[in-house]
Amino acid sequence: MLTLIEVLTKSTEYLEKKGIDSARLNAELLLAEVLNCKRLDIYLRFDKPLAEDELVKYREFISRRGKYEPLQYIVGYTEFYGQRINVTKDVLIPRPETEILVESIVDQFRSVPNLKIIDIGTGSGNISIALAKNLISPSITTIDTSQEAIIVAKNNCTLNNLNGEVDFVHGDILTHSFQHEYDIVVSNPPYISLTEYESLQNEVKYYEPKNALTDFHDGLFYFESIAHKMYDYLTSGGKIFFEIGFGQSAAVKKILTNNKYSHIEIIKDYQNIDRVIFGVRE
Ligand code: GLN
């Protein structure tokens, strides 16, 4: 019978050969998932043998990871802003950078109750859930073109004990007509240009939903269309918040200015890259 350390060493070598980044960490996290324990607990059990059914499951996990399937899809979840978010291949895996988008809203509106918010392109529901958990009685509408994503987002709301704070619209922002105005528009839209899409990591390109990543244009299409359309659905003094990609801040700032937003500010991420932009509807 193989011990944990033997299995871990072999699978790390295998993932390294396949060119997976942080092979050892991936091997450990997948093993912890199979054993239903914390990653560091593996270290206390190095000499223990792996049961046959555990080995079968682990082999499957490692083989999937070796084919570049992201770890989060294999285990079925990730963590975002302190909440567990389940993910399937129908939704983008929430990124740590997107926490900065949430944080910039929470920082400014922490003590403001009853905000009406719309989250455009909700995917797994991560942004809405984080906002619902950190603002005072907001009412949040989410919209997504993908019915499958809406199912995932709904399940994530239930998982995080939200009942009624978030409602869901299956529809396209470009054609949908809204019933009322919002205090905040937030979106992490598909902002990768079609050319740039081709150079993404295998994990992203082969597994994550393409239409959640690229606008099939120059990367700016949704900033323009959302900024333009949502101006009429923002309260006076309401704010629009976008996550932006590397090198996009000047162009998106121009889009916001051209669409009559004012007091535009940009926030950097931990790598000093302009990551969030927001502006005010006068
Ligand atoms: N709102 C989700 C996220 O920020 C999905 C975004 C998207 O699919 N473009 O992760």
Side-chain angles (χ1 to χ4, degrees):
M1 267 197 160
L2 292 166
T3 63
L4 297 199
I5 184 67
E6 286 166 342
V7 167
L8 204 51
T9 309
K10 279 194 177 171
S11 44
T12 303
E13 280 169 18
Y14 177 77
L15 293 180
E16 269 167 1
K17 244 187 277 161
K18 296 280 175 180
I20 305 292
D21 286 342
S22 311
R24 172 72 183 216
L25 180 63
N26 273 271
E28 288 183 0
L29 287 167
L30 289 171
L31 187 55
E33 187 64 24
V34 168
L35 300 174
N36 198 17
C37 70
K38 292 209 162 55
R39 180 173 72 90
L40 293 178
D41 289 343
I42 298 173
Y43 285 76
L44 308 170
R45 297 159 67 169
F46 264 169
D47 303 327
K48 298 254 159 57
L50 214 63
E52 190 54 34
D53 58 332
E54 291 167 341
L55 193 57
V56 169
K57 192 169 177 195
Y58 190 56
R59 280 208 179 107
E60 187 220 317
F61 279 8
I62 290 294
S63 145
R64 287 166 66 183
R65 191 68 192 91
K67 293 181 187 126
Y68 306 107
E69 183 169 346
L71 184 119
Q72 295 90 335
Y73 287 154
I74 298 172
V75 300
Y77 63 90
T78 189
E79 200 189 280
F80 181 81
Y81 217 79
Q83 314 296 329
R84 178 178 159 136
I85 301 290
N86 286 349
V87 289
T88 69
K89 60 174 182 25
D90 295 312
V91 298
L92 197 75
I93 298 165
R95 305 293 204 269
E97 290 86 346
T98 309
E99 295 183 329
I100 298 169
L101 179 63
V102 170
E103 192 173 53
S104 58
I105 298 175
V106 172
D107 277 353
Q108 295 181 49
F109 294 97
R110 195 184 306 275
S111 56
V112 184
N114 306 321
L115 288 164
K116 287 194 169 36
I117 301 174
I118 179 145
D119 169 15
I120 298 171
T122 196
S124 64
N126 56 324
I127 295 175
S128 292
I129 290 166
L131 292 175
K133 289 280 177 187
N134 291 279
L135 295 172
I136 307 164
S137 323
S139 71
I140 305 176
T141 301
T142 63
I143 180 164
D144 206 293
T145 50
S146 158
Q147 183 65 54
E148 291 79 11
I150 288 186
I151 293 168
V152 174
K154 274 189 184 164
N155 288 339
N156 277 323
C157 285
T158 311
L159 177 73
N160 285 285
N161 304 313
L162 295 172
N163 300 301
E165 293 90 336
V166 182
D167 59 53
F168 303 86
V169 176
H170 176 220
D172 189 339
I173 175 71
L174 304 178
T175 50
H176 192 77
S177 43
F178 295 92
Q179 300 307 315
H180 58 82
E181 294 180 336
Y182 297 92
D183 303 302
I184 296 173
V185 169
V186 56
S187 186
N188 173 21
Y191 58 66
I192 293 169
S193 71
L194 201 51
T195 351
E196 215 186 320
Y197 179 81
E198 292 310 320
S199 60
L200 294 176
Q201 270 187 301
N202 291 343
E203 275 84 347
V204 182
K205 206 166 39 176
Y206 298 158
Y207 288 92
E208 299 202 69
K210 187 170 185 179
N211 60 2
L213 289 158
T214 175
D215 64 355
F216 297 85
H217 293 267
D218 60 356
L220 297 170
F221 177 78
Y222 286 102
F223 297 119
E224 170 61 41
S225 43
I226 294 171
H228 182 73
K229 169 131 193 192
M230 295 315 288
Y231 193 87
D232 292 337
Y233 294 105
L234 265 169
T235 52
S236 148
K239 286 187 175 169
I240 190 163
F241 289 80
F242 285 124
E243 175 173 324
I244 54 177
F246 180 79
Q248 289 181 323
S249 58
V252 180
K253 187 173 181 180
K254 200 163 164 215
I255 287 171
L256 288 180
T257 314
N258 289 346
N259 281 284
K260 300 194 299 234
Y261 293 88
S262 65
H263 299 87
I264 296 161
E265 288 183 46
I266 291 163
I267 300 171
K268 289 183 185 294
D269 66 16
Y270 302 117
Q271 294 183 66
N272 218 30
I273 294 169
D274 289 348
R275 185 59 65 189
V276 169
I277 189 163
F278 61 90
V280 178
R281 183 222 198 276
E282 290 299 323

